[in-house]
């Protein structure tokens, strides 16, 4: 082909200059466009332009020179765009259409570098066009189809650019938009976090996509979570989110393990929401429904306070105090009282720096005591009929919430002054004794009361007296009058009347005889008799039943619940080393133990909580009632069983299995304990029997259909194992299987607890890693032998094996032990080899060999090395599978000293080298993140099915 030398020079020189950042690309674009416009036949220009562009398109790495060329090409192509209303639009867009056609023809190239550059150029070209730009419908459809294919590319960088390129092709109003569906699939399934970030940055929020964006705030990668919060702050109105979503965003964001995510919530999300609400913090609290998420709201307020520039900002934004430094009772709402409490706590946490501001926020203790008492007196109790009325119930719940916040404020008061402290103590006592004080406030009131008292004996005595006054109040009692007593009073009244008549006659006689001295005496006597007559007449006129005041024991559920709540709070606050004093023992005997058998479930539950808490103060008490707690864990209602289980776990955490050594009661009475059939001493057999019974019971609870009981058991076992009270590979295997079991997929608390436990437990010590190692084979056998009907048959055994390898890595220990001849991975390798030799034709042998390639095996000469080599040679002689043979041979070479690296046989450490013409022989880089465990997304349509299939191929190939 004959080309004009000048044309060659113009285009090639422009590309050469464009590689340098300091050159003015606008001048290059104008010069080249001027040359282009002068040509009548533009075919030659197109060919030469593409020839020069190809040199940049074969480079995969983000070299500055290549990026400069890509930017130059983008600007040059975009310069041909003209306003929509001009007539010569189609002719002027000829180059742009030509470039798009070339790129679309090249998007399926074998070279991943070319595919990457194609998607990058399409992305930049579409992004450089104006908002009202128009392109041919057919070309638009072709771009759309090509990018939908490229978002399933095996290379993350290609998928990123393809996802970005489709940003202007999505239609959020169309529920069937293929771009939206592709975005959703990438967000949920793509293993690379950068791809998920790219999709988040360009996906348009809508009814369909908002839940998916919201879900990314819980992504496993910090950068993805951070961007998800930024997108929600910038693109989503607070009203588009439900109350539950708002609360969850704040709770998860402000408690995130990454500081960068917390910072984004503070600096982006909260300011954005406040701007939408005109800076009204109380309105923001109203949007959160603080009655049901008080702690999250307080954390949010603390975050807002931490961003305040001056103390005046804190005082002006929310709470309005009167001259007494109080919110008027009529103006109290859930929002402003919570703001007041959170502000006082925040200022008090500043220590000496906040003393001056705190004095402006709170009155003296005595004034606040009267204020608190007046409000709590105004809370109206509800009858059973009123509780059925939702309006009445909501009002009562609001009053209780406000009262709760006011009680919490007691902890912020300055109680160093003795008079104010005593008045507050007296008010709290008075409130606790009041019959209409809500049960929900009792525990908090007792906590604040005990906090104000300094002597522990005084604390116990005062709470015991309050419990006595609540349970046995002084009430007016009507008692029937004895008939004999009534007759006696009537006779006495008649006698007094006769005496009065006689005295009056004698008085008249004395006056007649002018014996005035005796008359004066008689007159006084008559007055006394008249008073006595009036008193007797009044008594006779009263009803037959007389009213007396005396103590009456109350046994209704509400009273017992109040007393038990006070008792439980007392046991929590008292030092555990003090032991059980006579007063506490009297409470146990007279209140707690009788309530354990109360017919009311709420009373029984609180009694079990009290018993478990009290047992922590005395090992003898725990020994005495251990059997009772074991029985309750199996026989009562689920909620009460869980409370008893918690008490049992607490005992084992505090005392370990040694709690059984001093037990005098017969242990064999524990439920499900095996019979004593050994020739060992009876006491020792009973102790071992009970231990086995407890562990067996806990193991059975892991299979319970009651979700809460199963979760509580798993959490309790995790605590016991982490604290070293139990060392059991079998139980550890059960916990791992429970974590992977699809049945627990919706139990977030269980999954989170076990996920954290497995990491912390294995990193704590080598002993723990050895326990993990021993549980490997039982876990894998359970998975391999699981029937098709079992949920465990759906678990990815390869992923489980990978988890065990990661947990047992010597480098994972928090405090690495001294270098030992045999590492945990060495021992695990020997176990796996022996398992393979049991049946070399078994289908799981391939996975075992793959697991061997992941281990960090010590290659230094020694007995362990020699033993492992012998086992590997035995496997080589018997195994027939080619993949297994290659893996075993590679391990043998490593152990013999012919190795490229010490560990991680499966890790591809080859650096990607690119020549000028990358082709099919370029090695593929594995994804940086493996696919999430057991991710299953139902296909919505054929497009999503195709995308899923392609992504699965990618994961399997990697």
């Amino acid at each position: 082909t004959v080309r004009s030398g000048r044309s060659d020079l113009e285009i090639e020189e422009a590309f050469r200059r464009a590689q340098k950042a300091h050159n003015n690309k606008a001048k290059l674009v104008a010069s080249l466009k001027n040359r282009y416009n002068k040509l009548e036949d533009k075919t030659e220009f197109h060919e030469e332009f593409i020839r020069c562009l190809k040199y940049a398109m074969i480079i995969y790495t983000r070299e500055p020179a290549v990026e400069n060329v890509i930017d130059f090409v983008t600007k040059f192509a975009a310069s041909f765009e003209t306003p929509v209303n001009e007539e010569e639009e189609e002719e002027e867009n000829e180059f742009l259409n030509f470039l798009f056609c070339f790129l679309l023809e090249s998007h399926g190239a074998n070279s991943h570098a070319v595919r990457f550059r194609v998607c990058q150029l399409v992305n930049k070209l579409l992004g450089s066009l104006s908002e009202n730009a128009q392109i041919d419908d057919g070309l638009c459809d072709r771009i759309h189809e090509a990018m939908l294919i490229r978002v399933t590319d095996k290379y993350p960088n290609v998928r990123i650019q393809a996802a970005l390129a489709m940003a202007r092709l999505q239609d959020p109003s169309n529920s069937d938009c293929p771009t939206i569906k592709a975005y959703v699939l990438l967000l949920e399934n793509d293993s690379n976090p950068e791809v998920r970030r790219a999709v988040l940055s360009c996906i348009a929020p809508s009814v369909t996509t908002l839940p998916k964006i919201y879900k990314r705030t819980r992504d496993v990668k910090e950068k993805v979570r951070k961007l998800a919060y930024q997108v929600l702050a910038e693109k989503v109105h607070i009203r588009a989110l439900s109350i539950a979503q708002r609360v969850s965003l704040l709770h998860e964001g402000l408690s995130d393990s990454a500081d960068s995510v917390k910072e984004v919530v503070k600096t982006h999300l909260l300011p954005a929401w406040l701007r939408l609400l005109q800076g009204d913090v109380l309105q923001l609290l109203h949007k959160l429904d603080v009655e049901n998420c008080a702690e999250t709201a307080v954390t949010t307020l603390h975050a807002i306070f931490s961003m305040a520039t001056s103390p005046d900002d804190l005082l002006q934004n929310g709470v309005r105090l009167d001259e007494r430094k109080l919110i008027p009772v009529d103006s109290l709402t859930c929002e402003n009282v919570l703001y007041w409490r959170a502000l006082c706590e925040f200022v008090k946490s500043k220590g000496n720096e906040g003393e001056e501001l705190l004095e402006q926020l709170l009155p003296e203790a005595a004034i606040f005591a009267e204020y608190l008492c007046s409000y709590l007196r105004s809370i109206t109790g509800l009858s059973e009929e009123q509780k059925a009325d939702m309006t009445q119930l909501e009002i009562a719940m609001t009053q209780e919430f406000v009262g709760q916040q006011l009680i919490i404020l007691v902890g912020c008061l300055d109680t160093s002054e003795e008079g104010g402290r005593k008045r507050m103590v007296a008010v709290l006592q008075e409130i606790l004794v009041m019959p209409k004080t809500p049960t929900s406030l009792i525990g908090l009131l007792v906590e604040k009361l005990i906090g104000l008292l300094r002597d522990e004996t005084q604390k116990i005595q005062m709470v015991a007296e309050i419990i006595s006054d609540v349970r046995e109040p002084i009430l007016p009692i009507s008692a029937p009058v004895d008939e004999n007593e009534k007759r006696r009073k009537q006779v006495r009244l008649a006698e007094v009347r006769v005496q009065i008549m006689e005295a009056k006659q004698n008085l008249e006689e004395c006056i007649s005889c002018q014996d005035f001295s005796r008359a004066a005496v008689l007159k006084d006597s008559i007055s006394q008799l008249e008073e006595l007559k009036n008193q007797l007449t009044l008594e006779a006129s009263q009803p037959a039943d007389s009213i007396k005041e005396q103590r009456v024991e109350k046994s209704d559920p509400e009273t017992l619940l109040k007393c038990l709540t006070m008792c439980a709070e007392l046991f929590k606050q008292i030092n555990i080393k003090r032991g059980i004093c006579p007063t506490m023992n009297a409470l146990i005997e007279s209140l707690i133990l009788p309530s354990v058998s109360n017919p009311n479930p709420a009373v029984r539950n609180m009694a079990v909580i009290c018993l478990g808490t009290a047992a922590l103060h005395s090992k003898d008490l725990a020994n005495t009632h251990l059997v009772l707690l074991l029985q309750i864990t199996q026989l009562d209602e689920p909620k009460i069983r869980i409370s008893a289980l918690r008490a049992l776990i607490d005992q084992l955490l505090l005392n370990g299995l040694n709690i059984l050594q001093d037990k005098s009661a017969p242990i064999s009475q524990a439920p499900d304990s095996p019979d004593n059939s050994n020739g060992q001493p009876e006491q020792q057999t009973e102790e071992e029997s009970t231990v086995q019974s407890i562990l067996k019971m806990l193991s059975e609870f892991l299979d319970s259909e009651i979700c809460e009981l199963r979760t509580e058991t798993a959490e309790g076992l995790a605590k016991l194992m982490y604290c070293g009270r139990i060392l059991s590979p079998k139980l550890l295997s059960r916990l791992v299987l429970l974590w992977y079991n699809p049945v627990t997929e919706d139990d977030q608390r269980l999954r989170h607890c076990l996920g954290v436990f497995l990491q912390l437990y294995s990193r704590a010590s080598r002993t723990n890693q050895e326990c993990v190692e021993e549980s490997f084979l039982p876990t894998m056998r359970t998975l391999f032998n699981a029937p098709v009907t079992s949920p465990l048959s759906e678990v990815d055994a390869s992923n489980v094996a990978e988890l065990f390898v990661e947990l047992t890595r010597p480098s994972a220990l928090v405090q690495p032990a001294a270098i030992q001849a045999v590492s945990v991975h060495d021992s695990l390798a020997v176990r796996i080899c022996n398992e393979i030799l049991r049946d070399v034709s078994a289908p799981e042998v391939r996975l075992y060999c793959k697991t061997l390639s992941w281990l960090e095996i010590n290659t230094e000469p020694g007995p362990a090395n020699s033993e492992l080599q012998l086992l590997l040679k035995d496997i080589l002689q018997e195994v027939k599978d080619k993949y297994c043979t290659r893996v075993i041979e590679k391990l043998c070479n490593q152990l013999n000293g012919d190795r490229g690296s010490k560990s991680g046989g499966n890790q591809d450490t080859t650096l990607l080298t690119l020549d000028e013409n990358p082709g099919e022989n370029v090695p593929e880089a594995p994804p940086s993140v493996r696919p999430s465990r057991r991710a299953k997304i139902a296909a919505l349509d054929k497009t999503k099915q195709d995308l899923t299939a392609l992504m699965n191929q990618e994961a399997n190939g990697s």
Side-chain angles (χ1 to χ4, degrees), residues 467 559-569 591-593 595-596 602-608 610:
I467 290 174
T559 301
L560 290 176
L561 201 55
K562 286 183 179 181
C563 296
L564 289 168
T565 304
M566 285 188 272
C567 198
E569 194 61 39
L591 176 63
I592 297 176
L593 290 178
S595 299
V596 170
V603 174
R604 278 204 316 278
N605 184 54
M606 187 55 67
V608 171
C610 287

Side-chain angles (χ1 to χ4, degrees), residues 27 239 252 314 342 742 949:
K27 290 184 178 180
R239 292 194 183 115
E252 300 290 341
L314 300 177

Side-chain angles (χ1 to χ4, degrees), residues 282-319:
L282 296 183
Q283 186 64 21
L284 174 62
L285 294 178
H286 183 70
K287 297 289 184 184
L288 298 179
D289 187 18
V290 295
E291 289 186 60
N292 297 314
C293 63
E295 294 310 312
T296 300
V298 169
T299 306
T300 302
L301 288 171
H302 286 175
I304 294 174
F305 298 153
S306 65
M307 295 185 291
T309 56
S310 66
D312 293 336
D313 295 340
L314 300 177
L315 293 173
Q316 294 174 2
N317 288 338
V319 66

